[in-house]
Amino acid sequence: MIQAFGLTSNPRQELPPAVDDVSFEAPTGRVTALLGARASGKTTAVRLMLELQQGRGITHFRGRPLHRIPHPSQEVGVLLGEVQGHPSRTVRGQLRMLCAAAGVPVQRADEVLEVVGIVSLREQRLGTLSRGMDRRLGLACALLADPHTLVLDGPADGLSAREGKWLHGILRAHASLGGTVLFTTDDAKEAARTADRVVTLEEGHVIADQCVADFSRTRLRPRVAVRSPHAARLGVLLAKEARATQRSVEVVNEGGNRLSVYGSNCADIGETAFRHSILVHQLADEVGDAGPAVSVPARTRAEEVRAAEPTVPQPAVADASSATDAPLPVLEPSEETAAPSALARAHARSAQEPPQSTGTFVSLPVDADLGGASSSASASAPAPAPPSDEQGTQASRTPSGPASAPPPASLSPLPPPITTHPAPSPLRPLRYEVRRATGIATGYLTAAAVLVASAIVAVLLARTGRTPQAHLLAAWPQELPLPPAALGAGLLGAFAFGDEFRHPALAADRGTVPRRLGLLCAKLAVAAAIAVSLAFLVVASDAVLLHLVYGEELTKLPADWLSTSASWLALVVGCAWAGVLAAGVFRSTTAGLAAVLAVPILVVPLVQKALEGPSVRTAAGLPSRLRDLALVHWPFGAERVLAAGLRMIAQPVGSALMLSLTALLCAYLLTVLRPRAR
């Protein structure tokens, strides 16, 4: 069950909040529709429920707020907008990456592909999917961890009638298995055909919270669709006859040659057209939307509907194939006699009012109100004064069903604040990172470009004959600040936090991968492994190419190959880590690569300037003094390794890289600890 209490968004400058004191319930085993027109606050309410946006209020999913649930992706499945992912990633690769994030077996990806019916598209790229297939993939992502609750924002937007019917069948099947389903829509007929309960929003307020039977009776009205080349004349004649016979008939000109007639039937309209010799091309019974509600205080109306609603469960309405053949649900006599609603009292009052006539049509009181109050289609009654903030808050937080005791006076009248909590890290960070890094061709193309560039540079350097052998094998000319291998490793590291890689653990648009130390360690480990592999491939390919072109002279190992190899690997891994940390701090791949380039261009000159001055003492002989201080001798010649490490750090590039990594790591830790301190 979903229980939302007092959801209120923060006001935007001089504008009122998009959602103001929204409270409702979505019961277990039922499909609940959140209905509203464009800009009515549906998406904002969903984002407040999922703690994606700051505001006030609280939402319980089976009795617990979202930030109190250990694994939210296994409790709540979310579909917000389009599926976020790299356009080059395959459908199956995207789902397998989500499996690693949610901590479920990878076989679950193939299972949900069969459920949503896109098994044949498992090797399709995300960038080539149509709107309908993207909706199916989004539903598969929401169902991946087998959650109890589904929260879908506009799941049928842009779908055809057949695809929408299939989607609603999936939602109905999930609810029939004991799950909870909440989806948003702006189509009243879609809500009536699909949902068991409809919560209507208007201008950020709940104006109705009804079962589907009450909703269909008060919001949807039968009408006759008329198409005629003389539609305007026929409309005038129908209005004149209705006025003469004192009947409640409303004629709406839909534009062109189409009319919508409420309160009449095909036989009467056909007879009128026949008497006046008017050609009619179409006469069909349909179900029409009554339009927006009358301006009545939203809190008072929602409170009346909840208080007057019967507590017995309402039968579900069968899904119809189209709007034209969808029967109007009717309440059982026992239900109406057991609990007379505020809607019935409003109809009794409206029956005593005189008929009204305006323009070219007659409009008597019709059941056009969303929340149970009767209204005229041509004029609206003046709205009474709205209740105070304290009364409105208490009324909106009153749950449906029996009346509960008022809260103690010591409690605050305002709902608790909503704080945006970052999405949790994947349950298997290392597996998630491996699938993320190997799921697209960007990394492979970058590595191939680095190998080709290194080979070309090595061959050109060998022609001059002035480059040391270590720099020759690494394809590092002295004129360049960094070799191609280091730049490629930094770029691959920066891809780890790129904007195209969205964290899919809970919501699609929750932002980039969260700043978590466990996930950071996984990213650093994968980046280091990729950098070491790239460094070995570059040296091996350069050695083979130089051997083929110039012979064995340029491929002999130097005497200090061990310390040189350690320095080479440290340089490449350091550049990769600098890209990872910079992209994580600044949330940009470009910033990560810029941080790698800033080390030799900006930081190295500063370090050289700092070391140029005269020094009184040096650190010469430090390894031997450390060996004398130790109780045992260094095994396996470790003093030579330590000396090589100190010499590497003493170099300007090594010192600059260490300084840059330290600064970026401190900045990353600061971004991690700052939200926790708040």
Side-chain angles (χ1 to χ4, degrees):
M1 173 182 287
I2 302 176
Q3 296 173 307
F5 303 100
L7 298 179
T8 304
S9 61
N10 293 333
R12 301 157 294 175
Q13 297 179 353
E14 302 296 332
L15 300 177
V19 172
D20 188 9
D21 202 4
V22 170
S23 301
F24 62 90
E25 290 185 1
T28 303
R30 296 290 184 267
V31 178
T32 304
L34 195 61
L35 175 66
R38 302 285 182 180
S40 61
K42 304 186 302 296
T43 302
T44 303
V46 170
R47 293 180 62 84
L48 289 173
M49 292 170 57
L50 298 175
E51 298 178 357
L52 302 177
Q53 183 173 332
Q54 293 183 351
R56 303 195 71 88
I58 190 171
T59 303
H60 287 169
F61 298 89
R62 290 204 289 182
R64 293 179 297 176
L66 196 63
H67 61 274
R68 298 287 186 182
I69 300 176
H71 306 304
S73 60
Q74 299 180 6
E75 177 67 26
V76 183
V78 179
L79 174 59
L80 299 176
E82 298 181 353
V83 177
Q84 297 290 341
H86 197 283
S88 300
R89 197 181 301 277
T90 62
V91 171
R92 191 178 185 183
Q94 175 78 5
L95 290 177
R96 288 195 168 192
M97 187 183 71
L98 301 187
C99 288
V104 298
V106 293
Q107 293 80 7
R108 179 65 179 168
D110 297 327
E111 295 176 3
V112 296
L113 284 177
E114 293 181 0
V115 171
V116 300
I118 54 174
V119 180
S120 59
L121 302 179
R122 57 180 177 268
E123 301 302 329
Q124 196 84 6
R125 305 291 178 181
L126 297 184
T128 61
L129 294 180
S130 63
R131 177 66 175 175
M133 296 302 103
D134 184 84
R135 294 285 87 187
R136 289 181 181 241
L137 178 58
L139 185 60
C141 297
L143 295 172
L144 193 62
D146 194 16
H148 174 270
T149 304
L150 291 180
V151 179
L152 314 174
D153 185 20
D157 292 347
L159 299 184
S160 63
R162 181 178 179 182
E163 292 174 336
K165 184 178 179 181
W166 171 87
L167 176 64
H168 295 147
I170 293 291
L171 301 183
R172 174 63 60 188
H174 183 81
S176 63
L177 295 177
T180 304
V181 178
L182 174 67
F183 73 96
T184 66
T185 180
D186 55 0
D187 188 356
K189 289 180 284 188
E190 177 190 357
R193 290 194 304 264
T194 308
D196 300 315
R197 190 165 197 84
V198 181
V199 179
T200 307
L201 290 182
E202 183 178 338
E203 297 181 356
H205 299 277
V206 175
I207 62 172
D209 188 352
Q210 306 163 291
C211 65
V212 70
D214 292 340
F215 171 78
S216 298
R217 190 181 69 242
T218 57
R219 176 68 181 262
L220 301 181
R221 295 184 294 165
R223 69 180 179 185
V224 178
V226 183
R227 191 161 57 89
S228 170
H230 308 285
R233 181 186 170 200
L234 180 59
V236 173
L237 293 174
L238 291 175
K240 185 183 299 184
E241 291 186 359
R243 191 180 303 112
T245 58
Q246 296 293 320
R247 289 186 299 131
S248 175
V249 176
E250 178 183 350
V251 180
V252 179
N253 192 345
E254 301 290 351
N257 59 351
R258 297 179 64 250
L259 295 176
S260 293
V261 183
Y262 298 89
S264 185
N265 52 59
C266 293
D268 294 341
I269 297 175
E271 291 177 0
T272 302
F274 178 76
R275 286 196 305 267
H276 295 85
S277 301
I278 296 178
L279 179 63
V280 175
H281 291 164
Q282 180 189 14
L283 279 177
D285 291 324
E286 292 183 353
V287 175
D289 188 0
V294 68
S295 179
V296 175
R299 298 185 181 95
T300 305
R301 189 184 312 171
E303 183 183 6
E304 289 181 0
V305 172
R306 292 193 187 99
E309 195 174 67
T311 57
V312 295
Q314 302 293 339
V317 178
D319 188 11
S321 59
S322 65
T324 58
D325 55 0
L328 286 177
V330 180
L331 288 178
E332 296 295 334
S334 59
E335 296 177 338
E336 293 191 357
T337 55
S341 62
L343 177 66
R345 296 194 298 269
H347 283 308
R349 291 194 303 266
S350 64
Q352 302 176 2
E353 297 179 0
Q356 298 179 0
S357 173
T358 58
T360 61
F361 62 90
V362 176
S363 176
L364 297 181
V366 186
D367 297 342
D369 189 17
L370 292 177
S374 64
S375 66
S376 172
S378 59
S380 60
S388 62
D389 294 341
E390 183 175 359
Q391 294 175 354
T393 305
Q394 293 176 359
S396 62
R397 297 186 62 178
T398 303
S400 60
S404 58
S410 58
L411 296 180
S412 173
L414 295 176
I418 296 176
T419 305
T420 56
H421 301 274
S425 300
L427 300 183
R428 307 291 186 271
L430 188 60
R431 190 176 68 176
Y432 166 79
E433 182 60 24
V434 169
R435 292 193 178 277
R436 184 209 60 78
T438 59
I440 58 175
T442 304
Y444 303 106
L445 295 178
T446 303
V450 169
L451 292 177
V452 172
S454 299
I456 295 175
V457 171
V459 171
L460 295 179
L461 290 178
R463 290 174 58 90
T464 61
R466 297 190 302 269
T467 305
Q469 188 176 9
H471 282 250
L472 185 62
L473 292 176
W476 188 0
Q478 298 179 356
E479 293 79 7
L480 294 180
L482 285 176
L487 293 177
L491 180 60
L492 291 176
F495 281 151
F497 282 102
D499 293 337
E500 66 273 23
F501 299 112
R502 301 284 180 174
H503 181 60
L506 179 61
D509 63 341
R510 194 152 211 177
T512 49
V513 180
R515 301 180 176 99
R516 287 294 182 270
L517 296 181
L519 191 58
L520 174 64
C521 293
K523 288 184 175 296
L524 292 179
V526 172
I530 294 176
V532 169
S533 303
L534 185 62
F536 275 116
L537 288 176
V538 166
V539 173
S541 61
D542 291 348
V544 171
L545 186 60
L546 292 175
H547 177 75
L548 292 176
V549 177
Y550 298 105
E552 298 181 356
E553 297 180 358
L554 300 179
T555 58
K556 294 181 180 180
L557 292 177
D560 56 344
W561 66 272
L562 184 60
S563 59
T564 304
S565 300
S567 302
W568 168 242
L569 294 179
L571 174 65
V572 177
V573 172
C575 290
W577 284 359
V580 171
L581 292 174
V585 171
F586 299 106
R587 301 300 201 192
S588 173
T589 303
T590 306
L593 186 60
V596 176
L597 294 175
V599 172
I601 297 177
L602 298 179
V603 185
V604 169
L606 294 178
V607 173
Q608 288 178 343
K609 229 177 240 190
L611 298 178
E612 279 179 358
S615 59
V616 179
R617 296 182 178 85
T618 62
L622 177 61
S624 60
R625 289 193 293 272
L626 291 177
R627 182 184 57 190
D628 295 338
L629 291 177
L631 299 178
V632 295
H633 292 288
W634 292 89
F636 308 108
E639 68 274 2
R640 293 195 300 271
V641 178
L642 180 60
L646 292 177
R647 285 197 302 270
M648 180 178 60
I649 296 176
Q651 294 177 359
V653 176
S655 301
L657 192 58
M658 288 292 295
L659 181 62
S660 177
L661 287 176
T662 303
L664 289 174
L665 184 59
C666 292
Y668 192 94
L669 294 177
L670 180 62
T671 58
V672 171
L673 299 178
R674 185 176 59 181
R676 295 183 180 179
R678 288 181 179 177

